């Protein structure tokens, strides 16, 4: 049952450090309850909605409040509501589309020469139904402080690594003190120059951008980059903009990556509006990903030729710095693959 949790407004003089935890713990886990909250008749959707799934529904209230009541096709709702199509078996889609299930160490992925990804957390604030790690063996990759020693030893032995990427799960699902301790110990490895945090939590719960988090990042010796995950302009409200302003004012570089999602954002008008709202909130558009072909997410896929047409339209509508790079990630490749959008025959 959803608790009565106070949503902070722009009039608050500070953001409470524990507010985000309350909102996280009270997330909607029942599709029926979510639809009821949105005044959507469950009976009309009962055949298409999954009530029980191993990849459970998880949606915090601040994100739900941005959805349009009464609209079963709301673009934010479609990203998080479990549907029967997820149970379809489709050729070309599998549980490990990026070949990540065999990691160098528990909680560590070293796919690119100069960068390493550390799974600081194995949980997310929101379970996006298109997630490429929805089948990832998180139980085998739970890091905990006991696993830090092996991680730091690995990093110390690889001087070619100059950047650590915190991902997961969502790295900001850990407490501020836990994150502070990890970053402080990481700073002892001299060849690490940058810290990148890939997160969706400050978007679904803007109150996660606490004073302690801002101070930890702004006082670090690292160049700190925070990469948000926003797919649709409706995800950006006043509270999200305020959260991003707190980070931007502290000197944190803000980038965004999106996933091209069928019937959600796969048109140039929506993506152009997204880029404009991102920049207004001090976030620079970075990547637009073609869907990673994970089992259960095939209904979100939009083909490459359509993506190229969209990108060509975006180039005509936006200043160049507002156009994200169209990319695909493929297992075993040393980098993301940029998609050539100059082909006029598409």
């Amino acid at each position: 049952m959803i608790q009565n949790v106070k949503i902070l407004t722009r009039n608050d003089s500070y953001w409470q450090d524990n507010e985000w935890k309350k909102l996280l713990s009270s997330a909607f886990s029942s599709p029926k309850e979510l639809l009821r909250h949105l005044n959507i008749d469950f009976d009309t959707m009962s055949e298409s909605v999954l009530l029980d799934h191993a990849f459970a529904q998880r949606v915090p209230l601040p994100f739900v409040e941005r959805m349009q009541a009464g609209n079963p096709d709301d673009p934010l709702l479609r990203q998080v509501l479990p549907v029967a199509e997820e149970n379809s078996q489709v050729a070309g889609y599998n549980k490990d589309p990026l070949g990540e299930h065999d990691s160098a160490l528990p909680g560590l992925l070293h796919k690119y020469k100069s960068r390493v990804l550390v799974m600081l957390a194995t949980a997310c604030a929101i379970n996006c139904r298109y997630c490429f790690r929805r089948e990832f063996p998180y139980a085998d990759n739970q890091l905990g402080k006991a696993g830090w020693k092996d991680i730091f030893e690995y990093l110390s032995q690889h001087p070619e690594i100059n950047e650590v990427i915190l991902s997961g799960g969502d790295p900001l699902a850990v407490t501020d003190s836990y994150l502070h301790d990890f970053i402080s110990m990481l700073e002892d490895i001299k060849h690490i120059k940058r810290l990148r945090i890939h997160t969706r939590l400050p978007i679904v719960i803007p109150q996660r951008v606490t004073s302690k988090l801002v101070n930890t990042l702004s006082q670090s010796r690292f160049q700190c980059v925070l990469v948000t995950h926003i797919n649709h302009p409706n995800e950006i409200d006043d509270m999200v903009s305020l959260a991003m302003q707190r980070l931007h004012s502290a000197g944190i570089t803000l980038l965004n990556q999106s996933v091209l999602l069928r019937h959600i954002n796969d048109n140039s008008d929506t993506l152009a509006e997204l880029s404009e709202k991102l920049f207004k909130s001090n976030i620079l558009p970075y990547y637009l990903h073609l869907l990673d072909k994970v089992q259960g997410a095939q209904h979100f896929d939009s083909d490459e030729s359509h993506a190229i047409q969209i990108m060509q339209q975006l180039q005509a509508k936006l200043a160049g710095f507002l156009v994200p790079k169209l990319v695909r990630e493929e297992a075993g490749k040393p980098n993301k693959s940029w998609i050539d959008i100059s082909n006029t025959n598409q």
Side-chain angles (χ1 to χ4, degrees), residues 90-122:
V90 179
Y93 296 82
N94 60 75
K95 293 183 177 182
D96 186 18
L98 303 185
E100 293 185 339
H101 289 198
D102 295 320
S103 55
L105 285 172
L108 183 145
L109 296 173
H110 192 178
K111 297 194 293 184
Y112 306 138
K113 182 178 180 180
S114 64
R115 286 99 65 206
V116 68
L117 185 149
V118 175
M119 294 185 175
L120 204 59
T122 56

Side-chain angles (χ1 to χ4, degrees), residues 317-331:
K317 292 181 177 183
L318 296 171
F321 63 89
L322 293 180
V323 180
K325 298 180 182 71
L326 181 65
V327 297
R328 182 190 294 282
E329 192 162 3
E330 299 172 272

Side-chain angles (χ1 to χ4, degrees), residues 186-338:
L186 185 63
E187 287 177 331
D188 291 336
I189 304 175
K190 300 305 180 186
H191 54 266
I192 306 296
K193 299 177 181 177
R194 285 186 301 278
L195 177 71
R196 197 186 334 162
I197 299 176
H198 283 239
T199 180
R200 190 145 162 78
L201 215 161
I203 306 308
V204 300
I205 305 179
Q207 291 86 345
R208 179 63 188 92
V209 183
T210 62
S211 299
K212 290 180 181 178
L213 173 63
V214 173
N215 289 339
T216 292
L217 299 181
S218 63
Q219 293 171 11
S220 172
R221 73 164 180 85
F222 295 131
Q223 291 178 301
C224 290
V225 180
L226 190 138
V227 183
T228 59
H229 179 177
I230 307 172
N231 298 313
H232 194 278
N234 292 359
E235 296 179 38
I236 304 174
D237 64 359
D238 288 346
M239 282 297 292
V240 170
S241 294
L242 283 170
M244 296 303 105
Q245 180 60 48
R246 287 165 66 83
L247 291 163
H248 176 73
S249 297
I252 310 303
T253 299
L254 301 176
L255 305 174
N256 183 69
Q257 59 180 13
S258 304
V259 180
L260 189 66
L261 300 169
R262 187 167 177 260
H263 297 325
I264 292 175
N265 65 2
D266 61 337
N267 65 83
S268 61
D269 287 342
T270 298
L271 290 175
E273 182 184 356
L274 173 60
S275 283
E276 294 286 0
K277 289 188 76 171
L278 286 169
F279 192 66
K280 188 175 181 180
S281 297
N282 301 295
I283 309 169
L284 197 64
Y286 175 39
Y287 281 146
L288 176 62
H289 285 263
L290 295 178
L291 184 79
D292 296 315
K293 294 184 180 295
V294 64
Q295 182 176 302
Q298 59 279 344
H299 53 292
F300 288 110
D301 210 350
S302 187
D303 64 61
E304 185 174 310
S305 61
H306 181 51
I308 290 173
Q309 291 176 350
I310 292 172
M311 292 301 296
Q312 291 171 342
Q313 294 166 4
L314 279 180
Q315 285 186 316
K317 292 181 177 183
L318 296 171
F321 63 89
L322 293 180
V323 180
K325 298 180 182 71
L326 181 65
V327 297
R328 182 190 294 282
E329 192 162 3
E330 299 172 272
K333 289 204 171 183
N335 51 262
K336 287 181 174 62
S337 300
W338 291 17

